[in-house]
Amino acid sequence: MNLSEKDLLYNWHPYTQHKTAQFHPAIVRGKDALLWDENGKEFIDAIASWWVNPFGHSNQIIADAIYNQLTTLEHVLFGGFTHDKAVLLSEKLIGILPSNQKKVFYSDNGSTAVEVAIKGALQYFYNKGAKRTKIIAFEDAFHGDTFGAMAASGITFYTEAFRGSLLEVVRIPVPICGKEEEAISVLKQLVASNEYAAFIFEPLVLGAAGMVMYKPEVLDKMIHICKDNNVFTIADEVMTGFGKTGKTFASDYLVNKPDMMCLSKALTGGTIPMAITTFTQEIYNGFYDDDVNKALFHGHTFTANPTGCAAALASIDLLQTEETQRNIQRVHQSHLSFEFKIKNHSKVQTTRVLGVIFALEVKTDKQESYYGTMRNKLYNFFIENGIILRPVGNIIYILPPYIITDNQLQKVYSIIENALEIV
């Protein structure tokens, strides 16, 4: 019995209906943008393993940082203690984040980073004696799978079973081209009611919705409206952070900066689960009190794990190298060239590019479900051809490691062109 067969005996995979799902290839090795399964088949990881791995698999620099930390201090509880790597990482992050971000709170993954932000917003007003119990979010947003993050998410089949158990969130239109004024108008009406603690958003790109993109100028206006009405803003940069949009953070495109930011995925270069929520001094001060009950009582066993912090420090150092920045621009230009070539294809509805993100919407006569027939057909075709891509309904996207080679990118583009002939 091989690994894939044993896997079916024991494991329950995420986002998977196992009765209808095919077997899962068993990956045994990775290097740079490539992965190999137990049979020696090679795959190009064209989505950086769910957007976490910008510097390639088995990166020696990050591996060495992890090894050195493991042989010095693998973990110490962060409740009541601190350590050098947490202090150094927080200092480094505060140096590269928008200047209004002053405090760093550690957790485990993107969902928990969002949980911390939502709890921070709600409890801030509770501590002040104000009743603000609602959150504003975009339609079709995705912020994670824990309860607060689910509530803020708008993709209903993820959350339908829990609808009656979620905090109250009101959704507004995504301000894509042509819907900017509608989104702004709805936001203005909501924030004027003094019922909302925060507005959470994926800045510039809604990832799980199919890499839906909108302009920084309209988000700037929306943040300004929130600030004028004492509503906090939360930038969920779990996907967009650390270079994906062409800048270190998507918020770097903005004039008005968010009050909170959520970071994970590429934070540790795809090696160790870790997440961070950052806050302005104002929000932190809302918890700073002689009354212990006004503290933020949230924590995780592996909060600020030293090994994860060491990986993150090495990852940020890699991001800041001239080589990485050149690679980001190289991938971006390659995407633009492919977009120019493919956008008028008879099977292509729309295309969009931002930083290392490329998305293509396949023409279809009917509404395609998230895990529908077209998506599954495309996904299986890509896997058969040695390309790891996970279409969202009828939307194919690429979000590769920054170190992917030009030849590998051209192979990904070529396989996508071939895929258009089978739909």
Side-chain angles (χ1 to χ4, degrees):
M1 186 178 291
N2 63 23
L3 286 174
S4 290
E5 290 168 336
K6 285 186 177 180
D7 177 79
L8 292 175
L9 288 177
Y10 306 119
N11 292 329
W12 191 344
H13 287 261
Y15 309 121
T16 300
Q17 174 48 266
H18 280 275
K19 187 170 184 179
T20 57
Q22 296 185 349
F23 81 101
H24 294 77
I27 301 300
V28 297
R29 184 166 64 92
K31 184 61 182 173
D32 297 334
L34 299 177
L35 294 166
W36 289 269
D37 73 9
E38 60 184 324
N39 301 311
K41 182 174 181 177
E42 181 182 281
F43 298 87
I44 298 175
D45 186 356
I47 58 169
S49 287
W50 258 342
W51 324 334
V52 304
N53 198 296
F55 311 111
H57 296 281
S58 303
N59 182 281
Q60 193 64 51
I61 291 173
I62 300 177
D64 287 345
I66 290 171
Y67 175 80
N68 290 335
Q69 189 59 44
L70 282 172
T71 55
T72 304
L73 174 67
E74 77 297 334
H75 183 64
V76 64
L77 69 162
F78 209 56
F81 294 88
T82 192
H83 55 84
D84 62 335
K85 293 302 187 293
V87 173
L88 291 171
L89 177 56
S90 296
E91 183 178 40
K92 183 176 281 287
L93 281 168
I94 293 301
I96 64 174
L97 285 162
S99 60
N100 66 336
Q101 300 301 298
K102 300 298 183 185
K103 294 294 180 179
V104 174
F105 194 102
Y106 289 89
S107 61
D108 292 354
N109 57 66
S111 296
T112 57
V114 169
E115 293 287 323
V116 172
I118 290 174
K119 288 174 74 172
L122 294 172
Q123 190 179 336
Y124 175 92
F125 289 104
Y126 176 85
N127 285 355
K128 299 290 185 183
K131 188 176 182 181
R132 292 195 177 213
T133 59
K134 301 178 184 178
I135 300 293
I136 302 168
F138 282 137
E139 297 169 353
D140 299 325
F142 181 76
H143 295 289
D145 291 322
T146 52
F147 269 73
M150 267 199 305
S153 299
I155 302 173
T156 55
F157 68 90
Y158 282 125
T159 58
E160 191 63 35
F162 313 100
R163 182 182 292 271
S165 304
L166 303 175
L167 63 90
E168 188 170 355
V169 176
V170 176
R171 304 179 210 291
I172 64 175
V174 182
I176 58 174
C177 183
K179 285 196 171 184
E180 297 93 339
E181 291 307 315
E182 180 187 355
I184 288 172
S185 175
V186 176
L187 179 65
K188 282 181 177 178
Q189 293 174 28
L190 294 176
V191 297
S193 70
N194 295 322
E195 297 176 340
Y196 295 90
F199 166 40
I200 185 170
F201 50 83
E202 297 162 86
L204 309 190
V205 188
L206 278 70
M211 301 299 164
V212 174
M213 299 180 186
Y214 61 100
K215 297 296 185 182
E217 292 79 11
V218 66
L219 184 56
D220 255 326
K221 291 180 181 178
M222 300 177 91
I223 293 174
H224 184 72
I225 290 165
C226 289
K227 288 184 184 298
D228 281 351
N229 288 272
N230 198 28
V231 172
F232 290 127
T233 51
I234 304 170
D236 179 353
E237 294 236 25
V238 169
M239 185 275 282
T240 54
F242 303 104
K244 307 291 195 348
T245 65
K247 293 182 181 286
T248 302
F249 302 103
S251 297
D252 292 338
Y253 286 93
L254 303 172
V255 175
N256 295 306
K257 305 302 183 182
D259 300 296
M260 294 170 255
M261 295 177 66
C262 304
L263 311 173
S264 190
K265 290 198 180 290
L267 172 63
T268 65
T271 57
I272 293 176
M274 175 171 276
I276 282 170
T277 309
T278 64
F279 297 90
T280 62
Q281 189 69 39
E282 177 192 0
I283 296 173
Y284 175 80
N285 289 345
F287 294 79
Y288 192 77
D289 199 279
D290 291 328
D291 184 354
V292 67
N293 295 309
K294 290 188 176 181
L296 179 57
F297 283 104
H298 186 103
H300 299 265
T301 303
F302 287 96
T303 292
N305 171 254
T307 312
C309 289
L313 283 162
S315 180
I316 294 171
D317 284 345
L318 280 169
L319 177 65
Q320 293 178 317
T321 63
E322 290 184 10
E323 180 181 5
T324 295
Q325 293 303 311
R326 286 196 300 269
N327 279 335
I328 290 171
Q329 292 307 312
R330 174 180 59 84
V331 173
H332 176 67
Q333 291 302 319
S334 185
H335 283 347
L336 289 175
S337 296
F338 180 54
E339 180 187 39
F340 182 79
K341 176 183 179 182
I342 202 71
K343 64 183 180 181
N344 294 320
H345 190 287
S346 61
K347 297 283 186 70
V348 174
Q349 184 72 40
T350 60
T351 57
R352 44 192 176 270
V353 175
L354 181 64
V356 301
I357 305 167
F358 170 90
L360 175 158
E361 184 177 0
V362 181
K363 283 183 181 177
T364 178
D365 295 330
K366 61 180 181 178
Q367 181 71 30
E368 287 291 329
S369 64
Y370 205 85
Y371 288 102
T373 302
M374 178 184 287
R375 180 268 178 198
N376 293 335
K377 187 175 183 180
L378 286 167
Y379 176 78
N380 292 333
F381 179 83
F382 294 136
I383 292 297
E384 289 166 7
N385 284 275
I387 307 293
I388 300 177
L389 292 170
R390 287 178 61 89
V392 178
N394 64 320
I395 297 169
I396 302 168
Y397 74 87
I398 311 169
L399 205 169
Y402 307 153
I403 48 77
I404 192 170
T405 68
D406 290 336
N407 286 339
Q408 289 165 347
L409 271 174
Q410 292 306 315
K411 182 177 179 180
V412 173
Y413 299 149
S414 177
I415 296 300
I416 289 174
E417 289 184 83
N418 294 340
L420 292 175
E421 304 308 317
I422 69 164
V423 294

